[in-house]
C-alpha cells in the first residue's frame, strides 16, 4: 500500500472531475472557510498568539487558501504556511495557490519556534495499514502474493494473535482486523509537537471509533471503486481511519483530545447554513448549486456521517469549537 500510493501520488494530480476522486475542499469553498473560522476562533480565545499553519497532505492547496482567507478577515494570520507533501505534482498545485508556503517531507521537519495549527483532511486514510485474518490456526497477518500473474491477498504463516485487540480476538474464522501503525506514529509526533510548542490539530477523515473488525481497504480510479490488488500504483488506495487508535496515540503527549464528531454535525455547529445563506444571497443564480454542495458535505446519506473529526489541543489552549452541544 505504501509503495503503490507513493508511486500514485508522485505521478499525477488525482483530484477533481478529470482525476480519480474529489475531496471536501474541492466540493465547496464553505468547507475550507469554516475551518478558517475555527482557527480564528481558537486563536482569539488562546490570546492571539503567533503560530504556524501546517497542513498534512494538502491536496491542491484549496483548503489552505480558503481557510487562511477566511481567518484573515479576523486579523488571524500565521507566521508561516507549512505543507507536508511529497508529491511533486501536488506540490506544484499547492505552490500556485499558496505561493508563500514552505514544503516539508515529514512532520519532524516542521519549525519548532512557535505554536502549530495543524489540519489533516483525508490524510490518514491513505497511510499504509496492516491486515490480519482469523484462520483455523489462529490470527495471521494478511500478506500479498503473486498468483496466476496477478497480486492477491493470502494469510501468512507466523502467528499474530498479539497484534489483535483483545475485544476482537474471538471473532470467527475469516474475520479481518486492520491496524495503522504509521498513522499512529505520525499522530503521536504531532501531539508531542503541540505539547512542546502549543497549538492545535484538526483531523478529518472517513472512518469510525474502534476497535472494529472488517476489511476497509479500497481503491478508487476515475471516481469508481476498483480492485485494490490490480494495477498497483495506478489507483488511490485508502482504508477507514480508526479514530480511537489515533486518540490513544496522541494522549501520551499530554494533549487534550476532543470527542469524536461527525462532519455533518461539526459543520452545522460551525455555521455552514448561515454561510450558505450569505453566499446564495450574493449569487442567487447559484443558490441550488450551493445548496447541493452543502448537502453533499453535511447530509447523512452523503459525507455527513461517514466523515468524522477529532481535535487535539495543547495544554493551556482553549477547548475547540464544534465538538460539543447540539447542531445549530
Amino acid at each position: 500500500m505504501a509503495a503503490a500510493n507513493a508511486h500514485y501520488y508522485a505521478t499525477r494530480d488525482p483530484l477533481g472531475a478529470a482525476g480519480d476522486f474529489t475531496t471536501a475542499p474541492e466540493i465547496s469553498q464553505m468547507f475550507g472557510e469554516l475551518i478558517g473560522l475555527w482557527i480564528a476562533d481558537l486563536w482569539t480565545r488562546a490570546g492571539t498568539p503567533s503560530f504556524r499553519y501546517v497542513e498534512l497532505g494538502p491536496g491542491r492547496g484549496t483548503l489552505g487558501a480558503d481557510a487562511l482567507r477566511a481567518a484573515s478577515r479576523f486579523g488571524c494570520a500565521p507566521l508561516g504556511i507549512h505543507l507536508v507533501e511529497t508529491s511533486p505534482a501536488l506540490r506544484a498545485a499547492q505552490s500556485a495557490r499558496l505561493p508563500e508556503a514552505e514544503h516539508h517531507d515529514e512532520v519532524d521537519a516542521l519549525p519548532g519556534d512557535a505554536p502549530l495549527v495543524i489540519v489533516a483532511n483525508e490524510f490518514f486514510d491513505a497511510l499504509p495499514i496492516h491486515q490480519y485474518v482469523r484462520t483455523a490456526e489462529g490470527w495471521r497477518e494478511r500478506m500479498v502474493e503473486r498468483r496466476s500473474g496477478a497480486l492477491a491477498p493470502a494469510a501468512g504463516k507466523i502467528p499474530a494473535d498479539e497484534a489483535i485487540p483483545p475485544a476482537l480476538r474471538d471473532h470467527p474464522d475469516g474475520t479481518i482486523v486492520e491496524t495503522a501503525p504509521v498513522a499512529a506514529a505520525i499522530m503521536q509526533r504531532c501531539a508531542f509537537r503541540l505539547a512542546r510548542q502549543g497549538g492545535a490539530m484538526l483531523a478529518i477523515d472517513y472512518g469510525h471509533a474502534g476497535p472494529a473488525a472488517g476489511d476497509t481497504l479500497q481503491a478508487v480510479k476515475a471516481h469508481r471503486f476498483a480492485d485494490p490488488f490490480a494495477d498497483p500504483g495506478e489507483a488511490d488506495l485508502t482504508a477507514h481511519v480508526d479514530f480511537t487508535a489515533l486518540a490513544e496515540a496522541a494522549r501520551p503527549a499530554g494533549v487534550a483530545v476532543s470527542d469524536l464528531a461527525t462532519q455533518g454535525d461539526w459543520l452545522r455547529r460551525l455555521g455552514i447554513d448561515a454561510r450558505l445563506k450569505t453566499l446564495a444571497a450574493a449569487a442567487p443564480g447559484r443558490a441550488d448549486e450551493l445548496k447541493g454542495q452543502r448537502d453533499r458535505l453535511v447530509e447523512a446519506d452523503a459525507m455527513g456521517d461517514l466523515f468524522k473529526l477529532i481535535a487535539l489541543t495543547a495544554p493551556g489552549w482553549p477547548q475547540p469549537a464544534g465538538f460539543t452541544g447540539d447542531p445549530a
Side-chain angles (χ1 to χ4, degrees), residues 155-310:
K157 293 181 171 51
I158 300 172
D161 297 67
E162 293 304 312
I164 309 304
L168 302 177
R169 286 180 189 165
D170 292 334
H171 276 53
D173 289 359
T175 300
I176 291 174
V177 169
E178 299 173 345
T179 64
V182 173
I186 292 174
M187 190 64 156
Q188 190 162 89
R189 288 173 186 164
C190 290
F192 274 101
R193 278 299 192 104
L194 296 180
R196 291 198 304 269
Q197 296 174 227
M201 179 175 181
L202 188 65
I204 311 158
D205 230 306
Y206 68 98
H208 56 270
D215 178 3
T216 73
L217 177 67
Q218 66 180 37
V220 173
K221 187 177 179 68
H223 301 270
R224 296 178 180 274
F225 290 112
D227 178 355
F229 298 100
D231 301 319
E234 299 304 316
D236 177 46
L237 298 184
T238 63
H240 283 217
V241 173
D242 180 347
F243 282 94
T244 302
L246 289 184
E248 289 173 352
R251 286 196 176 97
V255 297
V257 181
S258 74
D259 291 337
L260 187 63
T262 67
Q263 179 172 293
D265 284 350
W266 190 84
L267 290 173
R268 282 190 287 263
R269 288 170 184 151
L270 267 290
I272 191 170
D273 291 320
R275 184 58 180 148
L276 169 64
K277 187 176 180 180
T278 299
L279 290 173
R286 295 186 60 219
D288 289 344
E289 175 193 353
L290 293 164
K291 176 65 163 51
Q293 293 173 359
R294 176 264 181 209
D295 290 350
R296 189 169 171 188
L297 294 175
V298 167
E299 292 303 320
D301 60 354
M303 300 173 72
D305 281 359
L306 178 60
F307 280 75
K308 298 176 179 68
L309 304 89
I310 58 170

Side-chain angles (χ1 to χ4, degrees):
M1 185 174 177
N5 274 352
H7 175 81
Y8 174 78
Y9 282 101
T11 54
R12 73 206 73 204
D13 176 349
L15 295 162
D20 292 324
F21 60 91
T22 302
T23 59
E26 304 293 335
I27 291 170
S28 172
Q29 70 186 73
M30 291 182 279
F31 185 79
E33 288 174 345
L34 289 174
I35 290 175
L37 294 180
W38 182 86
I39 293 170
D41 169 73
L42 190 68
W43 170 79
T44 299
R45 291 187 288 117
T48 66
S50 297
F51 72 96
R52 294 186 179 276
Y53 175 82
V54 177
E55 200 171 333
L56 310 183
R60 291 175 171 169
T62 304
L63 187 158
D66 289 340
L68 293 170
R69 183 183 67 251
S72 69
R73 296 172 188 157
F74 301 89
C76 177
L79 280 175
I81 302 169
H82 302 269
L83 308 179
V84 178
E85 178 62 70
T86 58
S87 164
L90 290 174
R91 280 191 175 195
Q94 293 154 14
S95 294
R97 288 170 175 79
L98 297 165
E100 66 274 39
E102 181 178 346
H103 281 102
H104 306 275
D105 289 332
E106 56 186 4
V107 169
D108 290 345
L110 294 169
D113 61 346
L116 306 176
V117 175
I118 306 170
V119 177
N121 179 60
E122 292 199 52
F123 170 75
F124 287 106
D125 67 286
L127 298 179
I129 60 167
H130 291 249
Q131 286 190 331
Y132 301 88
V133 59
R134 178 71 184 264
T135 72
E137 292 76 37
W139 288 95
R140 299 291 186 268
E141 183 164 7
R142 208 174 184 215
M143 315 300 284
V144 179
E145 66 178 13
R146 183 172 291 280
R147 189 186 306 155
S148 301
L151 299 181
K157 293 181 171 51
I158 300 172
D161 297 67
E162 293 304 312
I164 309 304
L168 302 177
R169 286 180 189 165
D170 292 334
H171 276 53
D173 289 359
T175 300
I176 291 174
V177 169
E178 299 173 345
T179 64
V182 173
I186 292 174
M187 190 64 156
Q188 190 162 89
R189 288 173 186 164
C190 290
F192 274 101
R193 278 299 192 104
L194 296 180
R196 291 198 304 269
Q197 296 174 227
M201 179 175 181
L202 188 65
I204 311 158
D205 230 306
Y206 68 98
H208 56 270
D215 178 3
T216 73
L217 177 67
Q218 66 180 37
V220 173
K221 187 177 179 68
H223 301 270
R224 296 178 180 274
F225 290 112
D227 178 355
F229 298 100
D231 301 319
E234 299 304 316
D236 177 46
L237 298 184
T238 63
H240 283 217
V241 173
D242 180 347
F243 282 94
T244 302
L246 289 184
E248 289 173 352
R251 286 196 176 97
V255 297
V257 181
S258 74
D259 291 337
L260 187 63
T262 67
Q263 179 172 293
D265 284 350
W266 190 84
L267 290 173
R268 282 190 287 263
R269 288 170 184 151
L270 267 290
I272 191 170
D273 291 320
R275 184 58 180 148
L276 169 64
K277 187 176 180 180
T278 299
L279 290 173
R286 295 186 60 219
D288 289 344
E289 175 193 353
L290 293 164
K291 176 65 163 51
Q293 293 173 359
R294 176 264 181 209
D295 290 350
R296 189 169 171 188
L297 294 175
V298 167
E299 292 303 320
D301 60 354
M303 300 173 72
D305 281 359
L306 178 60
F307 280 75
K308 298 176 179 68
L309 304 89
I310 58 170
L312 312 182
T313 44
W317 275 62
Q319 181 175 335
F323 290 92
T324 57
D326 295 326

